[in-house]
Amino acid sequence: MTAGDAAVRTMLRMRTREGCEAAFEAAWRRAAAEISQVPGNVRQELVRDADDPRTFVIVSDWTDRAAVDGFGRSSARETLTEALRDLREDAARNTYEVLAVVPGVARAEGAA
């Protein structure tokens, strides 16, 4: 890992209500634009299950646990994620420590 990489990664799996997939993606993009300005946020990704288009995983990388926990307790998080809650059936969140990153050959070739 380099100094610019995240030390903490949260993964939030959400299954949308039927027919709400596009609205969920749009709401996530709006929230992510704001969350990207929060101190300690390194990057965010939205991925969709290739076999179930109603299931998404939000991946959010943070500089440290204090940054993600601080955001998690903030009123800003409540405001920014409110729209997502209205569009989902269920959700599960986990927080992980990033221990190592090994770039693949495609990334290494692209950087050269």
Side-chain angles (χ1 to χ4, degrees):
M1 286 188 4
T2 66
D5 288 333
V8 175
R9 175 169 295 154
T10 62
M11 299 179 76
L12 177 59
R13 186 202 51 78
M14 292 188 172
R15 182 164 168 81
T16 64
R17 297 179 191 279
E18 192 167 349
C20 293
E21 299 87 348
F24 179 87
E25 186 176 344
W28 176 82
R29 288 179 187 276
R30 288 189 299 274
E34 296 292 326
I35 295 167
S36 71
Q37 302 304 306
V38 172
N41 183 255
V42 175
R43 83 181 129 259
Q44 299 170 76
E45 298 176 354
L46 179 65
V47 296
R48 182 177 25 229
D49 187 316
D51 297 319
D52 179 5
R54 289 177 52 202
T55 298
F56 294 84
V57 176
I58 297 169
V59 180
S60 187
D61 289 347
W62 298 83
T63 55
D64 54 39
R65 185 67 188 246
V68 72
D69 288 348
F71 175 69
R73 291 187 302 268
S74 71
S75 60
R77 183 194 63 83
E78 286 298 316
T79 301
L80 292 170
T81 60
E82 184 176 9
L84 298 177
R85 283 192 299 276
D86 294 340
L87 298 168
R88 72 180 192 212
E89 277 183 4
D90 68 357
R93 177 179 172 245
N94 297 91
T95 301
Y96 301 91
E97 230 180 281
V98 179
L99 300 178
V101 175
V102 179
V105 68
R107 181 173 174 143
E109 289 172 354

